[in-house]
Amino acid sequence: MGLTRTSGPLSPRAPQTVNYAVDGPAHKLLMHPFPRRVRAEFAGRTILDTTRGVLLHETALLPRFYVPEADLDLSAFVPSELTTHCPFKGDATYRSLRVGDRTVPDALWSYPEPVPAAAWLLGHASLYWEAADAWFDEDEQVFAHLTDPYTRVDVRPTSRHVQVFAGDELVAESHAPLRLDETGLPTRWYLSPDDVLVPLVPSDTSLRCPYKGRSSYWSLRLPDGRELTDAAWGYPDPLPESSRIAGRISLLHDDLRTLVDGEQI
């Protein structure tokens, strides 16, 4: 996200406001160590346990976590017939994950003969995040994906005037919002629930963010009777690094428009 997407230096739209040129192909790879201990569990069994993992940053993609094959429980994987070709890495072979009566097809891939420009991939394999039942970064369970050292989240209190409209109807307003900036994503404004001027209807939707935690969602019930589904979300118990947004709510929907100091964003 930080290096390879949006306007990062290895993205397809690298910034022009620099005094250097990044030489090489348009599609770039960068691998670097991820030194913390990472484990993955499946069917009550540890299938990956490493302190030698690496993150592979690739243009326009989220970083991928690769580990030495020696740090996998290879008895839990069986060969698959699937193969794919990447012009930047080579031909990938796949293995399915099988423990007891549970199988995840094509869960693990590697490059037995990587192209010369990516020879350092030899001996490494990557496991789809969703293939495992649980992942741990050191002893903390983590969700969605590992955190990227080139991504950060900053939360700042501000006196900016934030207004949210549905058509001409003012549905939320604050002079004391929190501004949340997350690398590669648009700014989000978090308001107090008291700043929302229409009823909030709890939703069953819940998502995981590796930087903020588990989210809760609400629909907005407008005065004309319409409901804007999952137009508001918040983190009742955020991760420590995003603790400031605890109990706050952010709003976003195709039928909403947000003004900050009178300017639409």
Side-chain angles (χ1 to χ4, degrees), residues 72-154:
L72 295 162
D73 179 357
L74 292 176
S75 67
F77 297 90
V78 295
S80 164
E81 295 182 358
L82 179 66
T83 62
T84 58
H85 175 73
C86 171
F88 312 104
K89 299 187 291 292
D91 292 320
T93 60
Y94 289 74
R95 280 165 276 187
S96 297
L97 176 57
R98 183 178 298 165
V99 175
D101 60 357
R102 293 183 59 192
T103 299
V104 180
D106 309 322
L108 182 81
W109 74 91
S110 61
Y111 295 90
E113 297 181 3
V115 299
W120 25 263
L121 279 172
L122 183 64
H124 287 78
S126 186
L127 177 69
Y128 280 113
W129 187 269
E130 58 272 20
D133 294 333
W135 289 81
F136 296 87
D137 181 347
E138 293 294 342
D139 289 335
E140 181 172 309
Q141 187 172 1
V142 289
F143 301 89
H145 57 80
L146 293 173
T147 54
D148 176 3
Y150 294 97
T151 293
R152 61 177 293 143
V153 175
D154 292 306

Side-chain angles (χ1 to χ4, degrees), residues 9-222:
L10 303 184
S11 76
R13 299 174 297 280
Q16 300 300 306
T17 51
V18 297
N19 66 349
Y20 62 85
V22 178
D23 192 17
H27 192 97
K28 297 177 177 64
L29 306 177
L30 169 67
M31 189 171 83
H32 66 78
F34 190 89
R36 299 197 291 268
R37 185 187 182 194
V38 176
R39 290 171 292 137
E41 295 182 351
F42 179 74
R45 181 167 159 184
T46 299
I47 56 171
L48 180 156
D49 190 345
T50 188
T51 57
R52 302 183 294 165
V54 296
L55 281 179
L56 178 66
H57 300 262
E58 185 170 352
T59 296
L61 300 175
L62 284 170
R64 278 289 182 185
F65 186 62
Y66 283 77
V67 302
E69 294 205 21
D71 294 343
L72 295 162
D73 179 357
L74 292 176
S75 67
F77 297 90
V78 295
S80 164
E81 295 182 358
L82 179 66
T83 62
T84 58
H85 175 73
C86 171
F88 312 104
K89 299 187 291 292
D91 292 320
T93 60
Y94 289 74
R95 280 165 276 187
S96 297
L97 176 57
R98 183 178 298 165
V99 175
D101 60 357
R102 293 183 59 192
T103 299
V104 180
D106 309 322
L108 182 81
W109 74 91
S110 61
Y111 295 90
E113 297 181 3
V115 299
W120 25 263
L121 279 172
L122 183 64
H124 287 78
S126 186
L127 177 69
Y128 280 113
W129 187 269
E130 58 272 20
D133 294 333
W135 289 81
F136 296 87
D137 181 347
E138 293 294 342
D139 289 335
E140 181 172 309
Q141 187 172 1
V142 289
F143 301 89
H145 57 80
L146 293 173
T147 54
D148 176 3
Y150 294 97
T151 293
R152 61 177 293 143
V153 175
D154 292 306
V155 181
R156 297 290 183 266
T158 179
S159 58
R160 305 281 290 276
H161 183 201
V162 174
Q163 298 168 291
V164 183
F165 289 87
D168 295 327
E169 183 77 30
L170 181 66
V171 299
E173 183 174 26
S174 177
H175 288 276
L178 293 176
R179 174 182 177 136
L180 185 146
D181 292 284
E182 184 173 345
T183 304
L185 296 176
T187 296
R188 302 298 184 206
W189 303 87
Y190 281 78
L191 315 182
S192 166
D194 294 338
D195 298 328
V196 181
L197 308 176
V198 297
L200 292 164
V201 182
S203 165
D204 291 332
T205 302
S206 181
L207 301 175
R208 289 278 195 176
C209 171
Y211 306 99
K212 299 186 289 293
R214 180 189 287 276
S215 62
S216 297
Y217 277 77
W218 296 265
S219 299
L220 296 184
R221 183 171 293 156
L222 303 181

